[in-house]
Amino acid sequence: MKDDVTAIARIETEGEIGLICLAKPPVNAVGLALRSAIHDAFQTLSQDPAIRAIVLYGEGRFFSAGADIKDFGKADVQPTLPQVLKALNDSDKPVIAALHGVAFGGALELALATHLRVGVAGLRIALPEVKLGLLPGAGGAQRLPRLTGLASAIDIICSGRDVLADEALSLGILDRLVDGPARGAGIAAARDVLAGTLAHRQTDARVVADDPAAVDAARIRLQAKRPALMAPLKALEAVCAATLPIDEGLAGERALFMELMAGDERAGLVHAFFAERATGQIPEKSATPRTIQRIAVIGGGTMGVGIATSLLIGGYQTDLIEAQSARVAQARSGIEKNLAGALKRGKLTAESHKAALDGLGCTDSLDVAAEADLVIEAIFENMEAKIGLFAKLDAICKPGAILATNTSYLDVNQIAAATARPEDVIGLHFFSPAHIMRLIEVVVAEKTAPSCVASAFALARKLGKVPVRAGNSDGFIGNRILTQYRRAADYLLLDGADFAGIDAALEEFGFAMGPFAVNDLAGLDIARATRDRKAATRPPQERYSRVADLICDQGWFGRKTGQGYYLYEAGKKPVAHPGAMAIVETERRALGLAPRAFSRETIVARCLTAMIAEAVRVLEEGVALRPVDIDAVELFGYGFPRHRGGPMHQADLIGPAELIRRIEDYAAEDPHFWQVPDLLRKMQRDGRSFADLNG
Ligand code: 3HC
């Protein structure tokens, strides 16, 4: 038989062993084309009398990333993945999967349907479908328990977690774990099988014992999760079907899979998966990034400490510069504490933890910035202070060094103008805690050089972050939207809702915390400083809620002072602060407002519509490149519930007509705040969706 080197499922032969090589870059995703090709290749080898065993392996970095997420619309087109896998399982000839790198989702399901699995050291396997709002839909929920037992399968499938090779071997998912290329490992295993020295077996022939205790415990755990998502619970149902005869179990699993496939949860999570990856498509993509080896972070506060930690975890030599000598040691110990946490969580190995500590320098001398390829300023939000610092950096830093500001609101053009090299100045807006939060808004000022932007994106990806390109606008993308979201919540509070009720409604929607609980966490004094800064330019028509200012006047700044909207006592659940509610009521009386009742749906609708309206303005002003960039900002920096996909994704679900209707309705009482963005009207006229604008 002639080997076909161009096929995406390439047939190769080694004596009496036939091989099928998955060769569909970049990740061998099993869409309709690849599963059809595997099916055809398998039929060819099955019917060839010279072939006695069949090995499947993958070309490139991985065995395969699983079913093709972009091809979900064709999940039911024949041959379906379950049909292809059933043929593997039923084969008279031994079928062996040789796995390296990654075998996720449908790819692991494929391996589970073979008669023997060989792993190459370093392999990671997973059934991560629940992270996409799905469950394993090609027999994974039936075949994994047949190898591991019900309890382990529930754990792996309902969490979607990665399983490393050693664990996979000990659980019986892998039959053998070896070093070296997968192809050779597969051939060696096939030879042993043919020689009768290695046992193999049809997975479907095995039976699964029921385990009611494990099932009940899992159900209770999953139901208690917030947000309570459908996919893990349906996945549990599918795994439970593994105690039935295989064909019944497979049919039940597939029905549940197709039900989830049609749902909003799946659409939101898949959108989030691609949003994370789409943000890298920027106009500066072809520019060559500058070399960054040594980085200086200026400012030893929470932000500077978090940024330095993140850089050290990313392997960069990092100097933290804190002007007040007395605070240098404190900053160092903050970083050391963060790094110890990263070691504990497994984000660093003992070796990389030591390297990170060795790479850290802490000083009160700005002169160290002379050595840096990149300087990240993280001092307090004050334009004069930043201008002064950038002028000094201009004098100290070497030519070509990138000078970044971590400002969250201020004008980066103005900061750049303090230097004689505005092309080297950029905004790198990290989110707190910076070593945990994944978003970085990369703020491109008027004169920022493309190589500077490309460097920022390369750095962010190396740190495992999600960089989003933002234009220079007050609050960039995220804080602009946040301001309107908070304002909508403040107006609801004045008009009759209570803050705990508003928080509860938004938490039910999926936010980890409602806006008032978040304000307490961030510190009410911080937001007040921003409001004070903007007071002089506030439009006279703008409705202004004084509630937060009045709470601050009491010295209640939120969590850090033990009081804010909520009362905080060590070891107790925060409770709504009666003093804060009294302030709200007094303010309502002073304004002559008769409190109205708002349903949870109305609360969510108003807050979400305010977010969407501002997001559309951000888009039409070109501050964000595409709708998907806005979604990425909200998902990775502001805790927008992942299964909701982001505000632009929500806007498509709601539709422009309904959004316009809502805004016009709310505008009857506040025409300044509620205005229909032109772009939204245009979308309605043209019958277009925001997804269309992602290009
Ligand atoms: N389908 C389609 N495209 C995929 C894909 C998949 N399963 N997995 C990754 N890709 C794409 C990415 O979108 C990206 O495309 P881009 O370059 O155009 O942006 C490209 O492949 C490379 O991916 P990454 O940037 O993520 O590369 P990494 O090396 O960082 O990570 C990975 C590789 C670990 C495989 C990671 O991509 C991943 O986790 N993928 C998702 C795996 C997954 O969820 N599989 C389950 C699919 S659902 C399923 O199998 C249903 C079944 O039960 C029927």
Side-chain angles (χ1 to χ4, degrees):
M1 192 181 310
K2 201 169 166 290
D3 296 354
D4 176 1
V5 292
T6 59
I8 54 174
R10 191 168 67 227
I11 294 181
E12 299 164 352
T13 46
E14 286 285 336
E16 47 191 9
I17 300 166
L19 296 109
I20 302 173
C21 175
L22 278 50
K24 191 169 184 296
V27 292
N28 295 332
V30 189
L32 177 60
L34 184 52
R35 69 176 184 260
S36 303
I38 294 172
H39 177 78
D40 293 349
F42 180 72
Q43 294 307 326
T44 305
L45 290 173
S46 299
Q47 287 155 18
D48 184 342
I51 297 298
R52 291 183 56 218
I54 299 167
V55 173
L56 289 122
Y57 76 101
E59 188 169 80
R61 289 187 296 149
F62 315 129
F63 177 67
S64 161
D68 190 334
I69 303 171
K70 294 189 182 111
D71 219 23
F72 275 166
K74 297 188 193 125
D76 247 0
V77 179
Q78 298 204 358
T80 64
L81 195 53
Q83 287 169 339
V84 177
L85 271 43
K86 186 77 183 141
L88 300 185
N89 177 82
D90 293 350
S91 169
D92 295 334
K93 297 178 184 179
V95 184
I96 295 145
L99 310 172
H100 77 289
V102 156
F104 280 177
L108 178 58
E109 293 180 290
L110 185 153
L112 294 172
T114 67
H115 307 157
L116 188 94
R117 285 149 296 279
V118 184
V120 168
L123 172 72
R124 274 187 301 149
I125 62 166
L127 290 172
E129 285 86 347
V130 290
K131 296 182 183 168
L132 298 172
L134 286 169
L135 53 84
Q142 308 313 302
R143 295 191 176 110
L144 187 68
R146 281 176 162 73
L147 297 174
T148 65
L150 216 50
S152 295
I154 290 172
D155 160 38
I156 292 168
I157 292 172
C158 295
S159 68
R161 73 176 174 90
D162 286 8
V163 178
L164 303 185
D166 285 333
E167 188 188 353
L169 184 68
S170 70
L171 286 172
I173 304 170
L174 293 179
D175 299 278
R176 193 182 248 192
L177 182 57
V178 294
D179 286 320
R183 188 179 189 277
I187 293 170
R191 287 199 176 123
D192 290 346
V193 166
L194 293 177
T197 55
L198 183 60
H200 68 289
R201 192 172 171 195
Q202 281 189 354
T203 309
D204 291 3
R206 303 173 191 234
V207 286
V208 184
D210 202 357
D211 189 345
V215 173
D216 289 346
R219 187 171 296 118
I220 291 168
R221 193 168 36 78
L222 294 173
Q223 280 170 342
K225 280 211 161 183
R226 290 292 170 267
L229 297 181
M230 288 244 292
L233 280 162
K234 295 274 176 194
L236 178 63
E237 213 179 302
V239 183
C240 290
T243 55
L244 302 171
I246 184 80
D247 287 339
E248 257 179 73
L250 286 172
E253 176 191 296
R254 190 69 180 176
L256 290 167
F257 174 78
M258 293 313 283
E259 186 186 326
L260 289 176
M261 187 64 98
D264 287 347
E265 187 175 303
R266 196 275 310 158
L269 287 168
V270 167
H271 181 76
F273 175 86
F274 286 118
E276 180 177 344
R277 288 156 178 84
T279 65
Q281 301 303 325
I282 50 167
E284 296 82 1
K285 210 177 160 202
S286 55
T288 309
R290 302 182 193 178
T291 305
I292 299 177
Q293 279 166 341
R294 188 162 177 175
I295 304 178
V297 178
I298 305 179
T302 313
M303 207 59 197
V305 164
I307 294 172
T309 307
S310 174
L311 298 171
L312 290 159
I313 293 174
Y316 289 96
Q317 189 180 348
T318 305
D319 294 295
L320 185 114
I321 304 172
E322 165 53 57
Q324 295 178 45
S325 340
R327 292 181 54 193
V328 174
Q330 197 187 334
R332 174 182 278 279
S333 81
I335 296 169
E336 286 171 353
K337 199 167 141 237
N338 287 344
L339 291 175
L343 175 66
K344 211 169 145 199
R345 288 197 307 277
K347 256 201 118 168
L348 287 174
T349 60
E351 205 180 317
S352 55
H353 176 250
K354 185 178 175 308
L357 286 175
D358 291 346
L360 169 64
C362 292
T363 174
D364 58 2
S365 163
L366 197 59
D367 292 343
V368 174
E371 306 294 323
D373 306 304
L374 163 68
V375 179
I376 304 176
E377 164 275 310
I379 64 169
F380 52 100
E381 285 287 70
N382 176 287
M383 185 54 100
E384 281 69 47
K386 294 202 193 250
I387 285 178
L389 177 60
F390 273 75
K392 281 189 199 158
L393 288 173
D394 192 21
I396 294 172
C397 293
K398 61 186 177 190
I402 299 172
L403 311 183
T405 169
N406 178 54
T407 182
S408 43
Y409 283 95
L410 299 177
D411 182 352
V412 182
N413 285 335
Q414 218 180 320
I415 297 173
T419 73
R421 42 170 131 178
E423 68 281 4
D424 293 338
V425 178
I426 195 165
L428 285 183
H429 182 206
F430 287 76
F431 290 73
S432 192
H435 57 298
I436 309 274
M437 296 295 285
R438 296 190 61 210
L439 177 66
I440 301 180
E441 280 180 320
V442 177
V443 184
V444 182
E446 223 168 82
K447 295 189 177 152
T448 309
S451 64
C452 219
V453 183
S455 311
F457 270 73
L459 170 91
R461 290 292 185 201
K462 206 170 158 215
L463 300 181
K465 305 274 187 198
V466 181
V468 176
R469 191 189 192 282
N472 185 36
S473 147
D474 191 347
F476 314 124
I477 300 173
N479 279 342
R480 265 185 69 167
I481 297 170
L482 177 69
T483 303
Q484 298 305 83
Y485 166 69
R486 280 183 173 165
R487 220 171 257 165
D490 284 341
Y491 297 157
L492 280 163
L493 181 61
L494 274 184
D495 290 336
D498 67 285
F499 49 80
I502 297 171
D503 280 352
L506 288 153
E507 284 161 20
E508 199 175 85
F509 178 75
F511 281 98
M513 286 172 127
F516 296 99
V518 171
N519 288 351
D520 269 4
L521 185 68
L524 301 183
D525 50 333
I526 308 286
R528 182 180 202 165
T530 308
R531 285 195 300 277
D532 288 350
R533 178 169 65 78
K534 293 184 175 177
T537 53
R538 189 178 304 130
Q541 322 85 296
E542 186 178 303
R543 194 176 175 203
Y544 185 75
S545 169
R546 297 193 316 148
V547 169
D549 294 343
L550 296 171
I551 293 178
C552 281
D553 288 346
Q554 302 294 316
W556 302 338
F557 297 148
R559 255 172 208 266
K560 60 185 166 192
T561 57
Q563 306 185 66
Y565 289 97
Y566 295 87
L567 278 173
Y568 301 89
E569 269 185 69
K572 288 197 187 155
K573 210 171 162 266
V575 289
H577 192 331
M581 206 53 224
I583 288 174
V584 174
E585 280 156 12
T586 310
E587 190 59 8
R588 282 179 191 153
R589 276 195 299 276
L591 295 169
L593 293 169
R596 285 184 280 154
F598 292 95
S599 68
R600 288 196 168 186
E601 293 73 39
T602 311
I603 290 170
V604 171
R606 283 187 178 240
C607 291
L608 192 58
T609 305
M611 280 182 113
I612 292 170
E614 189 62 13
V616 176
R617 281 187 276 271
V618 161
L619 193 63
E620 66 187 357
E621 289 169 27
V623 175
L625 286 179
R626 291 157 302 222
V628 72
D629 291 288
I630 296 174
D631 285 342
V633 163
E634 292 299 318
L635 291 167
F636 298 102
Y638 291 85
F640 198 95
R642 194 175 164 96
H643 68 289
R644 303 284 187 181
M648 296 282 85
H649 180 74
Q650 285 294 312
D652 276 345
L653 288 181
I654 300 166
E658 168 61 12
L659 286 165
I660 292 170
R661 190 203 63 73
R662 282 185 194 174
I663 297 172
E664 286 177 343
D665 180 28
Y666 306 152
E669 50 195 53
D670 184 354
H672 177 73
F673 183 69
W674 295 106
Q675 293 185 35
V676 180
D678 292 341
L679 178 61
L680 199 57
R681 290 205 194 277
K682 187 168 168 0
M683 309 277 298
Q684 190 202 13
R685 272 198 311 273
D686 300 351
R688 300 193 77 193
S689 71
F690 288 104
D692 296 338
L693 304 185
N694 285 327

